Structure formats: structure tokens, C-alpha cells
Amino acid sequence: MTKKVYIIEDEEAVRISLFAIIDDFLDDCEVIGYNANGQLGINECLAVKPDLAIVDIRLPDVNGIEILHIIKKRDPEIKVIIHSGFLDLNTVKLAYNGEADGIIEKPVSLDEFKTAVETIFAGDQYYSPGVLEKLLQYHTVPPFVRIKH
């Protein structure tokens, strides 16, 4: 069964890259929508009910942490990957506590992105190595996290 993916990302080049990676390299996934605007992205995402939402942290109107909380509160079945190049300890804690299914750092390699999506669809959480380091600072690495280098 094809997994549906929705992207909320304001950087056009990143959005296009994510779309291409999902379409070209993840055979069982398809992008069903995307938006550069956080609020519109929330509304569309909840309307189309994807299996996975990929959400940037820094958006011009609503930040990714707020989006994560709104999506998880309104439809906890939607899996959410937070991705950003600006992941400080506080942001990682907020995403982790907001029940993000994955947190990945930009830039992300094709292999890591595929691993993250596959891990999440297998029912586990995925955190980039740098994110795991921050979680260790926070003293909260769940025992079920797969670490892949």
C-alpha cells in the first residue's frame, strides 16, 4: 500500500528536493501535497490525512514545533518528521516532547532520509546522530531508538 506524504517547507529548493527524493527513491511513498505556509499547511495536511508529514522548523508564520503539536493533537495517527538546520537543545527537547516521530538535521543525505522514513513506517522513531547527541545532553534517549551511521 502506498504511503501518503505531505510536506510543509518554505524553502522552494528543499521542498522540490524532498518531493523528488520521495517520488524517485521511496517506491512505496507518494507526495500528496505541500505548502510553504505553516497555517495553510496545517489545514491542508489535516484535510488530506497523510501517513507522514515532513515539517520544517522555521516557517514565516507558524513554527514547526507548533505545527507538530497541532497535528498530533488533532490527528495522532499522522506521523511527523521535524527537519531543520537549526536544531538547538531546546528545539530538540520541544520536538521530542511533542511526540515527533523523527527529527532530522539539514542537510540530510539521501540514505539517511530513506532510513528515517523507513524506520518511522516500521513503527520506530528516528533521530539524526546530531539530534541523538542533544538528546543525550537532555538525558532522554528512549531505548527503542535505532542508531544508524
Side-chain angles (χ1 to χ4, degrees):
M1 186 166 136
T2 302
K3 303 286 188 187
K4 301 178 292 183
V5 180
Y6 190 89
I7 301 167
I8 303 175
E9 166 64 62
D10 64 326
E11 292 181 54
E12 184 177 19
V14 174
R15 199 171 51 246
I16 290 169
S17 295
L18 290 171
F19 192 102
I21 288 168
I22 292 164
D23 271 4
D24 294 344
F25 297 102
L26 296 172
D27 296 332
D28 60 342
C29 295
E30 75 172 301
V31 177
I32 60 167
Y34 59 88
N35 208 301
N37 177 287
Q39 188 59 55
L40 292 175
I42 292 167
N43 296 340
E44 288 179 8
C45 182
L46 291 169
V48 299
K49 298 191 178 296
D51 299 295
L52 174 66
I54 301 170
V55 180
D56 187 18
I57 287 285
R58 291 192 176 183
L59 295 162
D61 57 337
V62 180
N63 75 51
I65 299 298
E66 292 172 297
I67 293 169
L68 166 67
H69 286 276
I70 292 167
I71 290 173
K72 286 295 188 177
K73 181 177 181 182
R74 293 191 189 163
D75 192 340
E77 296 298 312
I78 297 173
K79 301 206 178 288
V80 178
I81 292 177
I82 294 294
H83 76 114
S84 180
F86 310 101
L87 291 171
D88 60 16
L89 178 59
N90 190 50
T91 302
V92 168
K93 287 175 12 182
L94 289 169
Y96 175 78
N97 290 331
E99 299 181 13
D101 298 281
I103 307 170
I104 54 178
E105 292 180 289
K106 291 183 205 174
V108 62
S109 71
L110 173 59
D111 286 341
E112 183 180 356
F113 184 79
K114 286 174 59 177
T115 298
V117 172
E118 291 166 357
T119 299
I120 289 165
F121 281 139
D124 293 323
Q125 293 176 313
Y126 181 87
Y127 302 103
S128 292
V131 172
L132 280 174
E133 288 177 24
K134 289 176 178 70
L135 285 173
L136 284 170
Q137 292 174 20
Y138 183 47
H139 304 292
T140 312
V141 177
F144 53 85
V145 172
R146 285 193 224 164
I147 301 172
K148 182 160 182 155
H149 295 282

